[in-house]
Amino acid sequence: MPSTTTTLATLLTNSSSTRVADDQNRPSRLPPITDSISTIHAFISKWDPHSSLSSRFLRATTHLHSYLLHLAASPARSSHSELMRTNSLLQSAMYCLDQELKNHLLSISDAHTLSDTISTVRSIVETMLSTGYGEECLTTYQSIRRSAVTSQLNQLGFDLYINRTRKLRKLKWEDLDHRIHSWIDASQKAVRSVFFHEQQLSEKIFGASPESVRDSVFASIISDIAGHFFAFPEYVCKRVKRSPERLFRLLDMYEILSDLMPDIESVFASEATSPIRTKIMSALTKLTVSIRTILLEFERAIQKDTKKPQTSTGGRVLPLTRYVMNFLLSLSDYEAPLRVILADMPQESDASSIQSYDSDDRYGSPVSVRISWLLLVLQRKLESKAEKYRDVALSYLFLVNNLYYMAKKVENSILKESLGDEWVAVHMTKVRRYMDGHVRSGWAHVSAALPVKEEEPVERVREFEMVFQKVLKEREGWVVVDPTLRNEVRLLVESMLVPAYRAWYQVYRGKMEVRCAPEDIQNRVLGLYEPSSAGSGSSSGSGSAKLLRRLGCYLPQRGDISIRLQIEGAKALPGEFSLRYPISYDPHQRHELSLRYQIDNLTSSKGVVI
């Protein structure tokens, strides 16, 4: 069975021979064969790799081939020895042309190389094809151009040899992650420069051949190389663990492939290169399946976290809440690819019933619905955790802190573009409701202990002091994380206790010993809910921590500061320190501008970092 190169060479030779026959049928005078033989002998005798190639030599070689065909067709009028001498001379001429072809091809970087060089290569190729040396010509062309394309990809930072599947099987994630970055960085130039220019080069050099033949030449050079290059995402999908943090590498690969599809369909438009398009579509399909799987695993991880929150944390924001919100914030950076990935993704029955809070169509997009659903899953998990607190007031405080963190994270980030203003408003209303619930359940009995004029003042005030002191001691570790919200809670408690106590105090302060002035009660209330460095972090052995560590995720620890590199004008959330630089926004560097870092073993004092 003939090889692909042989078959292609036959097509090229046939198409070229047809042109030669047409040329020979034209009424033109050829020089005597002796002149062509003399020209060829003179060139061969003086030839070296640095000699210039003349068009006269190329015409003489074509003439010699025609003479050889004439001798072979008229054996009665030609001797065997003359036939052999002519054939031997033609082979010597072809050897020189083959060497010339190699030398000129090695000097070509891409289709933008000097037109004189490309024109010379085209003349050599056409001469070799027309004289029956198509297979030798194509073998040389393929070998040199394949090496050139491979070298260009290596220069882009992606080595095809070391990134073959069998060499990646034992890589650690850190090393594989580096390879993924290299592939992403190389992809755009590979398609828009390397592969595109190679196609243009084939068009220019084999321009005299039929389009199908030109396409086949390009495919014979590029198919294996492009096949290995675009097989890389599929391998990553098989190799990567289903960890949330690794989702974004898959999204990066999906996004770059999606962005390049118009260029891919242009460069690989022919039937000969259809296997490459099939490989790319397969890679997109595998990436889609892996991304969906990780999102479902992420949802299940939230639902399966059953660890009871510790009372000692004082109702603070859980590491789980912080992690999920940061995950969703990063997820929202991939709005465009996720719209396609999530378009027909099966949903939970509850998720399908989620309705947009706003009439704008963008808030009902697959991305918005998925983010809304994951936020609802988190909210339900927080509510189930709140039920495990013995103290109802602390359970409300836990919900206040966590839901407020969620709402502010949405309000001050790109998530707001996906969810809308009304989502924020609805959840802020829930925060106020939980806050009122905390004040009522936590302080109503203290308010009920306030002395009234009709009762025995001494016993009543002592009872109030005892209840008040007990509550203060119990609430020492309770925290409202956000300063604004903290003041609001304090003012609610103050309005419940201080005015009534002041009215009683003004009547009885001269009639009996009163230990606490209204200002004392007020100051004690205003000192509540203040975060302290002691006990501000969650236990590293908590269920949420263990769960998320198993997923390969970083968990914020006590004293961590969330640092975001932001565009000028962006807002920092409470507990976050913004680094602002006068940088210009470049769409191609979006991910660099939205990087978020968690700095370990760093502490802050009242929000100031030194």
Side-chain angles (χ1 to χ4, degrees):
M1 184 176 180
S3 66
T4 303
T5 301
T6 303
T7 304
L8 184 54
T10 302
L11 292 173
L12 287 166
T13 302
N14 290 341
S15 64
S16 181
S17 298
T18 302
R19 293 194 308 277
V20 171
D22 292 341
D23 292 340
Q24 290 176 339
N25 292 331
R26 295 192 185 101
S28 60
R29 296 184 60 187
L30 292 173
I33 191 60
T34 53
D35 291 351
S36 295
I37 292 174
S38 298
T39 299
I40 293 171
H41 273 301
F43 180 83
I44 292 175
S45 64
K46 298 178 181 179
W47 181 83
D48 67 68
H50 304 290
S51 61
S52 60
L53 186 65
S54 68
S55 58
R56 183 181 177 187
F57 172 74
L58 295 175
R59 289 195 300 271
T61 303
T62 302
H63 187 197
L64 183 64
H65 175 254
S66 298
Y67 180 65
L68 179 63
L69 294 177
H70 171 73
L71 293 176
S74 307
R77 290 183 291 174
S78 61
S79 65
H80 178 71
S81 59
E82 185 180 7
L83 185 65
M84 294 301 294
R85 284 196 303 271
T86 304
N87 185 59
S88 176
L89 182 60
L90 184 61
Q91 287 183 357
S92 298
M94 287 300 108
Y95 172 79
C96 292
L97 283 183
D98 190 59
Q99 296 302 310
E100 288 286 340
L101 179 61
K102 289 178 181 177
N103 294 338
H104 282 80
L105 284 174
L106 289 172
S107 67
I108 293 177
S109 57
D110 56 40
H112 294 306
T113 302
L114 293 176
S115 59
D116 288 346
T117 303
I118 293 180
S119 178
T120 301
V121 170
R122 175 170 174 159
S123 297
I124 296 172
V125 166
E126 290 181 355
T127 300
M128 293 184 73
L129 293 177
S130 67
T131 54
Y133 283 80
E135 186 170 351
E136 291 81 356
C137 170
L138 192 57
T139 298
T140 297
Y141 185 84
Q142 288 173 332
S143 174
I144 292 176
R145 292 314 305 165
R146 283 171 181 164
S147 296
V149 171
T150 301
S151 175
Q152 290 175 63
L153 290 179
N154 290 345
Q155 291 173 13
L156 293 178
F158 190 81
D159 191 318
L160 287 175
Y161 177 74
I162 66 173
N163 284 294
R164 290 179 183 268
T165 301
R166 63 177 178 272
K167 292 186 173 292
L168 296 174
R169 289 173 182 166
K170 296 183 179 180
L171 280 182
K172 294 181 179 179
W173 166 249
E174 292 75 13
D175 297 323
L176 182 59
D177 187 44
H178 176 72
R179 303 281 179 88
I180 294 173
H181 274 294
S182 298
W183 184 88
I184 292 170
D185 292 341
S187 293
Q188 186 171 345
K189 290 184 178 179
V191 173
R192 293 175 177 169
S193 179
V194 178
F195 298 151
F196 170 74
H197 288 150
E198 193 61 33
Q199 183 215 26
Q200 295 297 302
L201 190 61
S202 296
E203 290 282 336
K204 290 182 178 181
I205 292 177
F206 294 90
S209 301
E211 182 180 7
S212 60
V213 176
R214 298 196 301 269
D215 292 338
S216 296
V217 172
F218 172 61
S220 71
I221 294 166
I222 215 75
S223 290
D224 287 345
I225 297 172
H228 285 303
F229 185 83
F230 292 116
F232 183 76
E234 287 192 59
Y235 169 72
V236 172
C237 290
K238 294 177 183 178
R239 173 70 173 78
V240 72
K241 293 174 65 177
R242 301 294 187 255
S243 300
E245 64 168 5
R246 299 175 188 182
L247 169 71
F248 302 108
R249 293 292 173 266
L250 302 184
L251 281 168
D252 287 335
M253 289 191 287
Y254 186 98
E255 187 172 41
I256 191 68
L257 278 180
S258 297
D259 291 344
L260 289 172
M261 279 309 296
D263 302 275
I264 288 169
E265 290 173 353
S266 174
V267 174
F268 305 113
S270 68
E271 181 64 27
T273 54
S274 61
I276 300 175
R277 298 196 306 273
T278 301
K279 172 65 71 175
I280 295 169
M281 294 308 299
S282 175
L284 286 171
T285 300
K286 294 290 177 59
L287 286 167
T288 296
V289 171
S290 295
I291 290 168
R292 289 178 174 182
T293 300
I294 292 178
L295 285 173
L296 290 174
E297 289 296 326
F298 180 73
E299 178 184 327
R300 294 189 187 105
I302 300 172
Q303 293 171 334
K304 291 179 180 179
D305 182 35
T306 57
K307 180 66 177 180
K308 178 181 177 182
Q310 298 181 359
T311 304
S312 60
T313 62
R316 288 176 175 82
V317 179
L318 287 181
L320 177 65
T321 306
R322 295 182 186 276
Y323 181 76
V324 170
M325 294 308 299
N326 285 328
F327 176 87
L328 295 179
L329 181 58
S330 297
L331 196 65
S332 64
D333 286 338
Y334 297 89
E335 170 79 17
L338 283 172
R339 277 179 177 266
V340 179
I341 294 169
L342 301 177
D344 57 349
M345 180 178 177
Q347 296 179 344
E348 299 284 348
S349 58
D350 287 350
S352 62
S353 65
I354 292 179
Q355 295 182 350
S356 169
Y357 289 102
D358 200 294
S359 59
D360 196 324
D361 289 342
R362 63 181 172 172
Y363 301 133
S365 72
V367 183
S368 299
V369 171
R370 180 58 52 177
I371 290 177
S372 296
W373 168 245
L374 290 173
L375 286 170
L376 181 58
V377 170
L378 174 60
Q379 186 177 334
R380 288 174 176 175
K381 176 54 59 177
L382 294 173
E383 290 170 352
S384 68
K385 286 179 177 292
E387 293 174 356
K388 297 177 181 179
Y389 280 105
R390 293 182 179 178
D391 193 317
V392 176
L394 184 55
S395 71
Y396 275 121
L397 188 62
F398 170 81
L399 290 172
V400 166
N401 281 318
N402 282 269
L403 195 59
Y404 184 79
Y405 178 86
M406 292 170 60
K408 294 301 288 185
K409 199 75 169 180
V410 170
E411 183 180 33
N412 294 332
S413 72
I414 195 174
L415 285 171
K416 187 177 179 181
E417 296 181 11
S418 297
L419 301 173
D421 292 322
E422 194 167 347
W423 188 97
V424 176
V426 166
H427 287 78
M428 281 299 189
T429 300
K430 289 183 179 180
V431 170
R432 304 298 175 192
R433 189 166 66 246
Y434 290 142
M435 188 166 64
D436 290 340
H438 163 73
V439 173
R440 285 196 311 272
S441 61
W443 293 96
H445 69 292
V446 180
S447 176
L450 282 168
V452 293
K453 297 178 181 179
E454 293 79 7
E455 297 177 334
E456 181 64 33
V458 177
E459 289 77 8
R460 191 65 173 174
V461 75
R462 297 293 178 257
E463 180 183 349
F464 168 77
E465 291 171 352
M466 181 179 66
V467 171
F468 185 65
Q469 292 297 332
K470 180 182 178 182
V471 168
L472 291 178
K473 186 176 182 181
E474 291 174 348
R475 311 283 165 86
E476 281 182 355
W478 292 18
V479 169
V480 176
V481 177
D482 179 76
T484 302
L485 202 63
R486 186 186 313 136
N487 288 333
E488 289 186 32
V489 174
R490 287 168 172 170
L491 289 174
L492 286 174
V493 175
E494 180 187 352
S495 64
M496 180 180 287
L497 301 180
V498 175
Y501 186 82
R502 178 176 283 110
W504 176 89
Y505 180 80
Q506 289 174 350
V507 173
Y508 287 99
R509 62 178 176 175
K511 300 178 182 179
M512 57 175 291
E513 179 185 357
V514 181
R515 298 172 183 173
C516 297
E519 291 73 18
D520 296 326
I521 301 296
Q522 183 179 36
N523 291 336
R524 296 299 297 274
V525 169
L526 294 180
L528 291 171
Y529 305 108
E530 188 73 38
S532 62
S533 59
S536 62
S538 62
S539 170
S540 61
S542 70
S544 298
K546 290 179 180 178
L547 172 66
L548 292 175
R549 277 203 303 273
R550 285 200 300 271
L551 293 173
C553 307
Y554 173 77
L555 286 178
Q557 301 297 320
R558 184 173 66 187
D560 284 1
I561 299 176
S562 176
I563 296 182
R564 298 196 302 170
L565 182 58
Q566 300 180 344
I567 303 172
E568 188 67 27
K571 297 180 180 179
L573 300 182
E576 292 184 341
F577 181 75
S578 294
L579 299 179
R580 302 183 186 274
Y581 296 94
I583 51 181
S584 60
Y585 181 74
D586 180 354
H588 298 295
Q589 301 296 324
R590 170 169 54 83
H591 298 298
E592 293 184 17
L593 294 177
S594 64
L595 287 176
R596 287 169 293 280
Y597 301 93
Q598 292 289 340
I599 307 302
D600 197 9
N601 298 323
L602 211 61
T603 58
S604 63
S605 175
K606 295 183 179 179
V608 179
V609 180
I610 300 177

